[in-house]
């Protein structure tokens, strides 16, 4: 089975599809076999973006498909290295199932208390439902100033959770990249790409660490040294 990374949130428009697409593009460039599963059957933001990307002849096309459930997405991702799950606007009972099936769960959020508070509530809920804390990571998106990142990071860390390094500012350059089937790290503006790359690298590091943990736990279990 592939490694599964999901993007979930309590609010709409926070950057779930944006980060899911960016991570898929980074992984595809890294020669991984990626499936981008769009669980938002109404909007299909990621599916439409991937179609534009292919139509424009992008060197790293993304295999994106819409699914009604996480089970369907998992069933069709066999043989891939990475399954990326883009989820609908609001958290639902399905969100927990998605989180359970994921090695890493990313919660994109804005920097206002209006955005941070529901993000922390969702983190509590996921942890309470048995998702290990080290699988959860907050990603700051759509910030207007860098100092917003520092305050938001304090908020999340004080609540006892991890935030990925870096943050994504709100920029027209990212929007126009999306319009052309490109991602956060593929804009014509190198400064924007660098800024996004920092967050993507932090996510990649977390995914690799989780993979290592899962693998070594699997090995220990096979040896009978745990359980
Ligand atoms: N950093 C940014 N700068 C500028 N525009 C952005 C940025 N991030 C996201 N957007 C734009 O904001 C809108 C919402 O972003 P996105 O679709 O990623 O959010 P979402 O959490 O997936 O939303 P939904 O809950 O509706 O699925 C999109 O039009 C996207 O292009
Ligand atoms: Mg979306």
């Amino acid at each position: 089975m592939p490694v599964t990374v999901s993007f979930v949130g309590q609010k709409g428009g926070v950057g779930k599809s944006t980060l899911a697409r960016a991570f898929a593009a980074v992984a595809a460039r890294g020669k991984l076999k990626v499936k981008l599963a769009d669980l938002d059957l109404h909007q299909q933001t990621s599916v439409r973006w991937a179609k534009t990307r292919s139509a424009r002849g992008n060197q790293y096309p993304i295999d994106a498909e819409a699914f009604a459930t996480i089970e369907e997405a998992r069933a069709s991702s066999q043989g891939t290295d990475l399954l990326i799950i883009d989820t609908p606007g609001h958290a639902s009972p399905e969100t927990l199932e998605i989180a359970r099936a994921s090695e890493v769960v990313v919660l994109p959020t804005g920097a206002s208390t209006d955005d941070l508070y529901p993000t922390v509530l969702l983190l509590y809920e996921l942890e309470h439902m048995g998702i290990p804390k080290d699988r959860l990571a907050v990603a700051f998106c759509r910030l207007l100033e860098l100092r917003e990142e520092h305050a938001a990071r304090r908020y999340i860390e004080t609540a006892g959770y991890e935030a990925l390094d870096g943050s994504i500012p709100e920029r027209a350059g990212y929007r126009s990249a999306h319009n052309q089937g490109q991602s956060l790290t593929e804009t014509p503006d190198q400064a924007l790409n660098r800024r996004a790359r920092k967050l993507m690298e932090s996510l990649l590091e977390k995914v690799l660490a989780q993979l290592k943990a899962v693998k070594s736990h699997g090995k220990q279990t096979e040896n009978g040294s745990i359980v």
Side-chain angles (χ1 to χ4, degrees):
M1 284 305 284
V3 176
T4 303
V5 179
S6 57
F7 294 82
V8 307
Q10 192 58 273
K11 295 186 93 173
V14 287
K16 297 178 293 293
S17 302
T18 294
L19 293 186
R21 290 176 285 183
F23 196 54
V26 164
R29 275 174 184 263
K31 307 271 182 291
L32 292 181
K33 230 173 153 232
V34 183
K35 181 92 181 182
L36 176 54
D38 193 336
L39 263 60
D40 192 336
L41 282 176
H42 292 293
Q43 292 199 59
Q44 299 201 17
T45 308
S46 289
V47 169
R48 281 182 289 108
W49 170 80
K51 276 189 189 148
T52 305
R53 186 175 176 89
S54 295
R56 288 184 165 256
N58 191 294
Q59 211 184 329
Y60 302 100
I62 304 292
D63 173 14
E65 198 177 334
F67 297 98
T69 64
I70 176 75
E71 288 80 21
E72 285 176 22
R74 278 163 68 84
S76 88
S77 68
Q78 299 211 2
T80 64
D81 302 310
L82 182 64
L83 173 62
I84 296 177
I85 315 275
D86 181 16
T87 65
H90 301 281
S92 65
E94 171 96 333
T95 307
L96 178 63
E97 260 179 79
I98 294 168
R100 281 216 175 100
S102 304
E103 271 76 31
V104 174
V105 183
V106 181
L107 293 87
T109 180
S112 69
T113 309
D114 291 344
D115 288 346
L116 292 167
Y117 181 73
T119 300
V120 168
L121 283 188
L122 181 55
L123 285 163
Y124 282 144
E125 206 177 322
L126 291 172
E127 192 189 352
H128 186 70
M129 299 289 194
I131 310 293
K133 221 171 172 171
D134 60 0
R135 292 191 176 204
L136 305 170
V138 170
F140 300 122
C141 291
R142 311 193 66 171
L143 304 197
L144 295 177
E145 291 176 10
L146 203 53
R147 67 187 164 144
E148 285 190 304
E149 180 189 323
H150 304 310
R153 191 174 300 284
R154 254 199 322 277
Y155 189 104
I156 295 299
E157 289 178 356
T158 303
Y161 295 96
E162 181 192 335
L164 296 173
D165 287 343
S167 61
I168 308 296
E170 174 90 18
R171 294 282 189 279
Y174 288 136
R175 271 203 278 280
S176 59
H178 285 155
N179 295 342
Q180 291 164 47
Q182 289 175 301
S183 75
L184 295 178
T185 58
E186 299 171 333
T187 78
D189 181 338
Q190 291 311 316
L192 287 189
N193 298 346
R194 263 197 308 280
R195 179 100 182 244
R197 221 179 290 129
K198 182 171 177 189
L199 191 132
M200 286 296 128
E201 277 166 9
S202 168
L203 175 55
L204 195 58
E205 211 174 284
K206 185 160 184 73
V207 170
L208 293 177
Q210 279 303 317
L211 248 184
K212 214 169 146 192
V214 167
K215 271 194 184 151
S216 79
H217 181 270
K219 265 200 200 112
Q220 283 173 307
T221 306
E222 273 167 33
N223 296 341
S225 43
I226 6 183
V227 295

